[in-house]
Amino acid sequence: MDKFLITGGQPLQGTIRVSGAKNSALPCMAAAILTEDEVILENIPQVRDIATERKLLSSMGAEVGGAEVGLPEDHCTRIRCAVLSDPVAKYEIVKTMRASSLVLGPLVARAGLARVAMPGGCAIGGRPIDLHIKGLEKMGAEIVQAHGYLEARTEQIGGRLKGTHIVFDKITVTGTEDLLMAATLAEGETLMENCAREPEVVDLAALLIKMGAKIEGAGTSTIRVQGVDKLHGARHAIIPDRIEAGTFLVAGAITGGDLTVANCNPSHLGAVIAKIQEAGAQVDIISADAIRVQAGSLLRATDISTEEYPGFPTDMQAQFMALTTQADGVSQVTENIFENRFMHVQELVRMGADIKVEGRTATVRGAAHLTGAYVMCSDLRASASLVLAALVAEGQSVLDRVYHMDRGYERIEEKLCGVGARIERVSNAPDPAEE
Ligand code: EPZ
């Protein structure tokens, strides 16, 4: 189980590059199920969740290539689902990555049959997929839940999903993506309302349109899809990871540094940039793909409340909370999207932060003197929060279970060391079987 040894106190200086967006790559890889042709995806991040999805697709019969580390194509993935010999997403894979549910819609649309293990909960909440199921049933799929699996069929309606009118009870990112993919091959028109507007939804739609899908309105809350009989292959470059970019902006601010975040898309970061500016750092968009953050030592208390895009992203809540521990005054951090996304709080408290949680709101009394400690990573973004706190804490911190980090951040310790951080990865035992 890898650990990070981090010695705090270094302002970050220089330029740090962002990788492709994990949360766009995952649905785009699943979209390859919709065609027999090869789909080539570029700017794919080399993170665990991508490796998990490659394993999942291969287990269903897909040919998966590319991404050989060190080769020119090491950030490229080639997927060809000519034959789906086993349209099953097995529990041993799904339990390690709930986003595996993204294969449900494409499998039903392409093969008329899918067996997908129920994802189960995770550290940040129950993570149900009832809205995915409800939408597919409205498109005519017959879905049975048994033995921890969902089994979906369309034979009773002639083997092809039917276009319909879907209104999401709640805004769901992967729910929107799952049903958008299913609708591309459905018979007739599908109108989806109360959709997620995240850039990752827009990126998926861009790929699907390149594959021949007929989609209007991606990025708005209303998406209209005209089903087609077949989709063909395409080549597509994944958008930059806005959450990784936001994490690095906070890293520059919390360490009082001068950091340029390159290879990002500033237009995806409006709410995050505004809040880091409100906290007192100077943030400048210096080009179409670069943002510069400069901060002194004084940061101001700043409240955040997580909302669906374009509001302040839940995936940046933990990282921003670390920043507020250094701000002068009291900040309120409210988590509206997930029911248990404060796992980082107790670890930050062990480093000296003053945080009290009441319901969905954490009250952070800032200007805390953080000291290095042995802390435990619990989920992807909580891990990022602990890295940020350790970068500013006095002395050395040991972060255990960094495999959580590796799920969504590509070589983060190398990237941060490249701009002055002091981080060492210590590998002294195999990662546990993913719980
Ligand atoms: C996506 O998860 C992201 N994952 C998450 O990123 C992100 O935190 C989340 O969207 C919110 O932005 C991927 O894209 C792979 P939701 P998703 O469905 O789609 C409830 C990270 O750190 N809900 O938008 O699973 C749900 O419980 C990860 O990279 C239902 O009730 O999230 C939650 O309260 C973590 N029924 C809310 O909706 C459903 O059928 C939003 O969840 C689906 C969701």
Side-chain angles (χ1 to χ4, degrees):
M1 205 183 313
D2 287 9
K3 294 179 175 63
F4 281 165
L5 306 184
I6 302 179
T7 304
Q10 306 297 317
L12 300 187
Q13 314 268 345
T15 297
I16 192 166
R17 288 181 65 80
V18 173
S19 299
K22 160 183 85 85
N23 288 350
S24 176
L26 291 172
C28 286
M29 290 169 74
I33 293 170
L34 295 165
T35 177
E36 297 169 355
D37 298 346
E38 181 176 60
V39 173
I40 301 169
L41 298 172
E42 298 167 337
N43 200 31
I44 292 282
Q46 289 180 344
V47 296
R48 276 173 86 104
D49 276 4
I50 298 300
T52 301
E53 178 138 351
R54 290 161 62 86
K55 193 164 67 174
L56 172 62
L57 292 169
S58 300
S59 75
M60 297 193 294
E63 298 161 51
V64 182
E68 275 70 41
V69 176
L71 294 182
E73 285 199 334
D74 64 0
H75 283 82
C76 166
T77 283
R78 296 166 171 272
I79 303 166
R80 183 194 295 274
C81 300
V83 175
L84 287 168
S85 51
D86 190 14
V88 180
K90 298 176 184 64
Y91 179 65
E92 51 272 17
I93 296 180
V94 174
K95 72 176 180 181
T96 68
M97 184 183 69
R98 65 172 315 284
S100 306
S101 57
L102 277 165
V103 303
L104 179 61
L107 277 178
V108 180
R110 164 78 188 277
L113 170 68
R115 282 195 77 232
V116 175
M118 296 290 283
C122 74
I124 64 177
R127 311 294 294 277
I129 58 169
D130 56 305
L131 301 180
H132 302 229
I133 295 166
K134 192 173 172 185
L136 285 172
E137 287 175 334
K138 193 147 192 225
M139 296 173 85
E142 183 182 37
I143 299 184
V144 174
Q145 302 186 33
H147 311 295
Y149 277 78
L150 290 173
E151 186 149 302
R153 295 173 177 282
T154 59
E155 60 196 5
Q156 76 289 352
I157 54 169
R160 188 178 180 187
L161 293 171
K162 308 293 180 212
T164 186
H165 180 199
I166 292 168
V167 183
F168 286 101
D169 299 344
K170 286 180 80 167
I171 294 172
T172 161
V173 175
T174 51
T176 299
E177 292 164 346
D178 214 358
L179 296 179
L180 172 59
M181 289 188 277
T184 59
L185 291 178
E187 189 178 334
E189 178 180 271
T190 298
L191 177 64
M192 301 185 345
E193 294 188 274
N194 200 26
C195 298
R197 296 185 280 165
E198 272 70 1
E200 293 75 24
V201 174
V202 176
D203 203 31
L204 170 64
L207 167 63
L208 292 168
I209 290 166
K210 285 179 185 175
M211 293 169 66
K214 298 192 181 328
I215 300 169
E216 290 171 358
T220 74
S221 55
T222 301
I223 300 178
R224 195 180 292 273
V225 183
Q226 301 298 336
V228 295
D229 294 339
K230 274 176 90 72
L231 293 179
H232 52 72
R235 177 186 286 268
H236 181 70
I238 300 294
I239 55 172
D241 192 316
R242 61 192 169 96
I243 304 302
E244 184 186 20
T247 303
F248 292 152
L249 289 173
V250 171
I254 201 172
T255 59
D258 179 353
L259 190 65
T260 295
V261 178
N263 198 36
C264 67
N265 184 333
S267 70
H268 294 161
L269 284 149
V272 173
I273 290 170
K275 281 296 177 182
I276 296 174
Q277 288 171 328
E278 190 180 324
Q282 183 179 335
V283 182
D284 299 297
I285 296 175
I286 55 179
S287 73
D289 66 356
I291 305 169
R292 183 177 180 186
V293 57
Q294 296 166 274
S297 54
L298 185 63
L299 292 168
R300 293 190 293 268
T302 305
D303 297 345
I304 60 164
S305 181
T306 63
E307 302 294 343
E308 294 88 358
Y309 193 88
F312 191 90
T314 175
D315 290 352
M316 279 296 303
Q317 177 258 107
Q319 298 92 310
F320 198 86
M321 185 185 289
L323 186 65
T324 61
T325 69
Q326 301 305 294
D328 188 20
V330 178
S331 304
Q332 304 288 340
V333 175
T334 302
E335 173 56 59
N336 296 305
I337 305 296
F338 290 110
E339 62 268 28
N340 184 34
R341 204 167 198 177
F342 285 142
M343 306 282 279
H344 43 289
V345 167
Q346 288 317 313
E347 300 304 305
L348 291 172
V349 167
R350 295 187 63 250
M351 297 174 77
D354 178 349
I355 308 171
K356 301 272 184 304
V357 174
E358 200 166 322
R360 286 187 170 272
T361 296
T363 300
V364 185
R365 292 188 184 288
H369 175 66
L370 300 184
T371 54
Y374 194 109
V375 289
M376 201 66 78
C377 296
S378 57
D379 63 83
L380 175 53
R381 308 304 174 182
S383 311
S385 174
L386 299 181
V387 168
L388 295 169
L391 288 176
V392 75
E394 180 200 340
Q396 186 181 77
S397 296
V398 179
L399 274 62
D400 203 350
R401 298 185 173 176
V402 293
Y403 63 84
H404 288 289
M405 194 93 199
D406 293 334
R407 295 190 53 170
Y409 287 94
E410 180 177 342
R411 297 179 296 104
I412 193 168
E413 74 275 21
E414 291 174 28
K415 291 186 180 184
L416 288 171
C417 287
V419 287
R422 286 186 287 175
I423 305 179
E424 183 193 347
R425 178 186 288 257
V426 175
S427 305
N428 56 12
D431 289 349
E434 294 270 343
E435 59 266 16

